Amino acid sequence: MIPLIDLSRSREEVADALAGALEHVGFFIVVNHGVPQEKIRAMFAEAERFHAQSEAAKHAVLMNEHNNGYMAMARYNVRTSRVSEAEAKPDMNEAFFIKRERGADDPLAGRRFAGPNRWPGNLPGFRETVLDYCETVDRLALSVLPTLSLSLGLPEDWFDPHFTRSQFSFRLSHYPPAEREPGRYGIAPHTDTNFLTFLAQSGVPGLQIRREGGGWEDVPFVEDSFVVNTGDMLHRWTNGRYKSTPHRAQPPLDRHRYAIPYFFGPNLDAEIRCAPTCTGPDNPPRWPPVIYEDHLAWWYDANYNADDQKDLAAE
């Protein structure tokens, strides 16, 4: 069962709830999160508006080398996860990605994953709504860091230096109705590569998590909530103590599904090294330190290489 956490409770209560949820499930659902419902509704409306465009309009903003822009239907799936299925077909979804918006004078501008976003030119208000939503959810993500630190027995500001210029990826996904068959998914089984994922719920089912004993469990719908899960970076930072739980999305059967996951990560230069409370004489670090930017480059090139869409750009 996926725990429900009320973020209006005391910091200590939330920290205890986080520890239990992430050690045993890797997913939790938050309420009283502070993100206005009207902003969530507006963001879902923009996701639908973007994907309702013509193919030509969407192909005009195809994904660039920073993995920003449009990803066409059935072009990719995650191949590097420990739960990737060799027989899985390309995912039955299309998506539009952005990362943190940076001006030309930003010290990180031009670096991979900090490069320019691609914006459609014929959707008035789209860019402003997307950026406002991302800023709002970013504040929510940052607000969780102190309780997350406390949940690990660390000072509440322990994660702060790693998130001063945090990196995120925001995805507007569209899952059309599709016949279910072996190896066909909306998104095939995988784990997220980031730190934490925040997914506003839409009420259209599809997302499932893998139970510890095997089998798959539907994520329940809770009004005005976010589903939050651990990514591989927090799993690695905690030496495996906090689970990075496999999950998947089934294609919807009779209606379109839209999803707006916000993938929250640390600074590009952050070194992911085992936290001091997660190792000891009988529990050595399971992974060597890694720079987040290096991990992202490996992961995107292996799973979402923009070159795989070159034939679309030539059409």
Side-chain angles (χ1 to χ4, degrees):
M1 184 174 178
I2 300 174
L4 180 71
I5 298 179
D6 184 344
L7 294 183
S8 69
R9 305 297 292 270
S10 72
R11 186 164 284 187
E12 293 73 19
E13 290 174 305
V14 173
D16 287 345
L18 283 175
L22 296 181
E23 285 179 2
H24 300 292
V25 184
F27 271 72
F28 56 97
I29 297 171
V30 296
V31 294
N32 291 320
H33 45 70
V35 179
Q37 190 62 27
E38 58 268 23
K39 288 194 177 187
I40 296 172
R41 286 194 294 266
M43 197 62 260
F44 276 113
E46 292 296 342
E48 187 169 352
R49 187 163 74 121
F50 176 86
H51 289 295
Q53 296 181 105
S54 68
E55 291 302 305
K58 289 183 283 191
H59 289 180
V61 289
L62 282 174
M63 200 161 61
N64 61 19
E65 68 273 19
H66 304 285
N67 293 90
N68 298 329
Y70 175 65
M71 181 190 79
M73 180 75 69
R75 305 294 291 190
Y76 301 95
N77 58 26
V78 175
R79 309 177 184 98
T80 59
S81 170
R82 66 181 186 276
V83 294
S84 295
E85 297 180 359
E87 68 275 15
K89 300 177 175 66
D91 293 337
M92 284 300 296
N93 77 78
E94 57 180 340
F96 178 78
F97 294 89
I98 74 151
K99 296 183 178 63
R100 190 173 296 282
E101 186 88 328
R102 303 184 190 274
D105 59 345
D106 189 297
L108 293 178
R111 280 176 59 172
R112 191 170 180 199
F113 310 121
N117 288 311
R118 306 204 70 190
W119 296 104
N122 57 342
L123 295 179
F126 176 82
R127 176 180 177 275
E128 292 77 11
T129 301
V130 170
L131 291 177
D132 179 65
Y133 180 82
C134 287
E135 182 179 338
T136 303
V137 180
D138 198 54
R139 288 197 297 269
L140 168 61
L142 289 169
S143 76
V144 172
L145 291 179
T147 48
L148 190 63
S149 297
L150 292 175
S151 77
L152 293 163
L154 296 163
E156 64 180 37
D157 61 352
W158 192 84
F159 278 114
D160 290 357
H162 305 289
F163 288 85
T164 55
R165 300 175 66 80
S166 57
Q167 182 72 9
F168 71 77
S169 181
F170 181 52
R171 174 175 180 151
L172 286 70
S173 298
H174 169 223
Y175 301 84
E179 292 292 329
R180 294 183 182 177
E181 57 184 74
R184 173 68 74 202
Y185 299 98
I187 289 185
H190 67 286
T191 59
D192 291 346
T193 195
N194 53 298
F195 184 80
L196 285 173
T197 300
F198 293 79
L199 176 70
Q201 290 199 276
S202 70
V204 180
L207 181 61
Q208 299 177 323
I209 70 169
R210 195 174 72 179
R211 294 189 291 264
E212 271 195 294
W216 293 88
E217 173 184 346
D218 290 330
V219 173
F221 174 69
V222 176
E223 190 74 35
D224 192 13
S225 73
F226 278 81
V227 177
V228 186
N229 64 276
T230 309
D232 292 342
M233 292 300 94
L234 181 52
H235 179 68
R236 188 167 179 152
W237 236 321
T238 61
N239 210 26
R241 174 176 168 183
Y242 283 178
K243 295 180 179 297
S244 181
T245 299
H247 49 286
R248 68 185 186 182
Q250 294 283 23
L253 294 174
D254 56 1
R255 53 181 166 162
H256 294 257
R257 177 174 179 257
Y258 296 89
I260 50 173
Y262 181 91
F263 302 101
F264 180 60
N267 304 342
L268 287 172
D269 293 326
E271 183 183 62
I272 316 301
R273 178 187 292 270
C274 182
T277 56
C278 298
T279 186
D282 299 322
N283 184 30
R286 296 166 59 182
W287 299 280
V290 65
I291 301 300
Y292 188 49
E293 183 180 26
D294 295 340
H295 176 82
L296 284 179
W298 164 78
W299 188 86
Y300 273 107
D301 287 345
N303 297 294
Y304 288 93
N305 195 315
D307 288 346
D308 293 345
Q309 297 198 128
K310 279 186 174 177
D311 56 323
L312 293 173
E315 289 178 2

